[in-house]
Amino acid sequence: MLRLRCLLLSSSNSIPLKQRFLPSPILSCSSSSSSVRSKMESVSYTTRSSSSSSRKLLFRQLFEKESSTYTYLLADASHPDKPALLVDPVDRTVDRDLSVVKDLGLKLVYAINTHVHADHVTGSGLIKTKVPGVKSIISKASQASADILVEAGDKIQFGDLYLEVRATPGHTVGCVTYVTGDGPDQPQPRMAFTGDAVLIRGCGRTDFQGGSSKQLYESVHSQIFTLPKDTFIYPAHDYKGFTVSTVGEEMLYNPRLTKDEETFKSIMENLKLSYPKMIDVAVPANMVCGLQDLESKAA
């Protein structure tokens, strides 16, 4: 699959990394409608803006029960084209997710992943076959295939809104956290899609895929816990029924990440977790955007 570096609004190579944007292509979704059977939390955020017409972020939280994975749908609802993106889609629930996109009158732009998942196959590749033109996104550090490979400081634009890319390795070498934009025309409070770096009252394991407890601790404390305390945390998974937390809450109550670094490393080294049951299927598939079956048939 062709790897593309993110396109910039300006062609100048002298632009600082933090100012690079991914343009927001406008695409249509033709998926057929179906009933939404799994748990879904529906929230809308209105930005605080100095302009006469504030921009509105449409947000949906979707759940895949077998892997306890959250998929997040975001769209600029006030933009004429209502461009949207999906964070951490799962192959099993692609039809459901595309049905929601269609029902809400959105135009899907991107299918993005926080990291190479070991517990489920990403829905990014399947989405691309159902909605031609959608671009897949993952971090360059993951060494996985996608249409666009992002790095720390890149900004993923959808309409007049954007997600900032923050490198948060430790669970895997290629983990990133996507954070909603900072500014008067962006949603407030901010929202952080942390993948497995920070879970609600927990964090992802660090014993495979190049994981490192030291690196995870440093990533969380430098890239996530430095965000405003009212920033919402939306993880890739939850196993106890929690749906959302905040940076302030996790800084106070997370039983692992509130410890000093040495204690944290000791905790992570003694978890005695079983071998992930999906890892041998999920990781190879997710390294090629979840399209390994299609690629093998074409060979």
Side-chain angles (χ1 to χ4, degrees):
M1 183 178 295
L2 178 63
R3 297 188 179 196
L4 299 177
R5 288 300 305 274
C6 48
L7 301 175
L8 310 182
L9 290 181
S10 170
S11 60
S12 172
N13 292 328
S14 64
I15 297 176
L17 184 61
K18 67 180 181 179
Q19 294 181 13
R20 300 196 307 173
F21 279 80
L22 301 183
S24 178
I26 303 304
L27 309 167
S28 63
C29 174
S30 60
S31 171
S32 60
S33 177
S34 63
S35 61
V36 179
R37 296 183 177 87
S38 67
K39 179 174 64 175
M40 180 170 66
E41 183 181 90
S42 172
V43 184
S44 291
Y45 293 91
T46 302
T47 65
R48 300 169 188 163
S49 175
S50 57
S51 63
S52 57
S53 59
S54 62
R55 299 189 179 100
K56 186 177 180 182
L57 172 66
L58 184 148
F59 171 67
R60 298 291 185 268
Q61 183 180 41
L62 303 143
F63 189 68
E64 197 285 305
K65 62 182 180 180
E66 292 200 27
S67 60
S68 297
T69 298
Y70 285 123
T71 296
Y72 300 99
L73 171 65
L74 293 83
D76 184 346
S78 68
H79 191 279
D81 298 301
K82 295 187 177 180
L85 56 82
L86 285 165
V87 181
D88 287 335
V90 180
D91 62 343
R92 296 174 183 267
T93 48
V94 161
D95 287 341
R96 176 205 64 188
D97 298 348
L98 293 181
S99 175
V100 175
V101 169
K102 182 181 179 184
D103 289 346
L104 296 176
L106 309 177
K107 296 181 180 180
L108 195 60
V109 174
Y110 297 122
I112 73 180
N113 284 283
T114 53
H115 63 291
V116 174
H117 302 278
D119 44 19
H120 69 269
V121 175
T122 177
S124 298
L126 188 56
I127 288 170
K128 284 167 57 64
T129 68
K130 292 176 176 286
V131 190
V134 169
K135 301 295 185 183
S136 59
I137 297 178
I138 200 165
S139 73
K140 181 180 179 181
S142 70
Q143 299 185 346
S145 297
D147 295 308
I148 299 171
L149 303 176
V150 293
E151 300 177 88
D154 287 346
K155 294 179 179 180
I156 302 169
Q157 189 89 31
F158 56 110
D160 296 312
L161 305 176
Y162 69 89
L163 294 179
E164 171 194 332
V165 180
R166 293 192 171 209
T168 50
H171 171 61
T172 74
V173 294
C175 286
V176 294
T177 291
Y178 300 107
V179 185
T180 53
D182 186 19
D185 60 346
Q186 300 297 311
Q188 298 294 334
R190 299 179 76 182
M191 305 162 74
F193 301 92
T194 56
D196 287 21
V198 176
L199 305 178
I200 298 174
R201 307 301 191 264
C203 64
R205 60 196 294 178
T206 58
D207 58 336
F208 59 84
Q209 288 181 270
S212 163
S213 56
K214 175 179 174 60
Q215 195 171 43
L216 179 58
Y217 190 88
E218 292 174 351
S219 294
V220 170
H221 283 265
S222 66
Q223 299 300 317
I224 298 175
F225 283 0
T226 53
L227 289 164
K229 291 184 179 179
D230 64 349
T231 302
F232 291 114
I233 285 181
Y234 288 100
H237 305 281
D238 190 83
Y239 308 97
K240 297 181 180 179
F242 295 117
T243 57
V244 63
S245 184
T246 66
V247 167
E249 282 184 44
E250 295 309 309
M251 290 177 69
L252 287 173
Y253 305 120
N254 192 296
R256 299 177 184 175
L257 293 163
T258 52
K259 303 295 192 292
D260 62 80
E261 185 176 338
E262 290 306 313
T263 303
F264 175 78
K265 288 166 63 177
S266 178
I267 291 171
M268 300 306 291
E269 289 167 4
N270 292 281
L271 291 177
K272 296 181 172 61
L273 298 173
S274 59
Y275 188 73
K277 62 181 180 179
M278 280 286 293
I279 188 171
D280 293 328
V281 174
V283 170
N286 293 334
M287 290 295 289
V288 290
C289 200
L291 283 176
Q292 83 288 2
D293 289 338
L294 294 179
E295 290 189 352
S296 63
K297 290 175 183 177

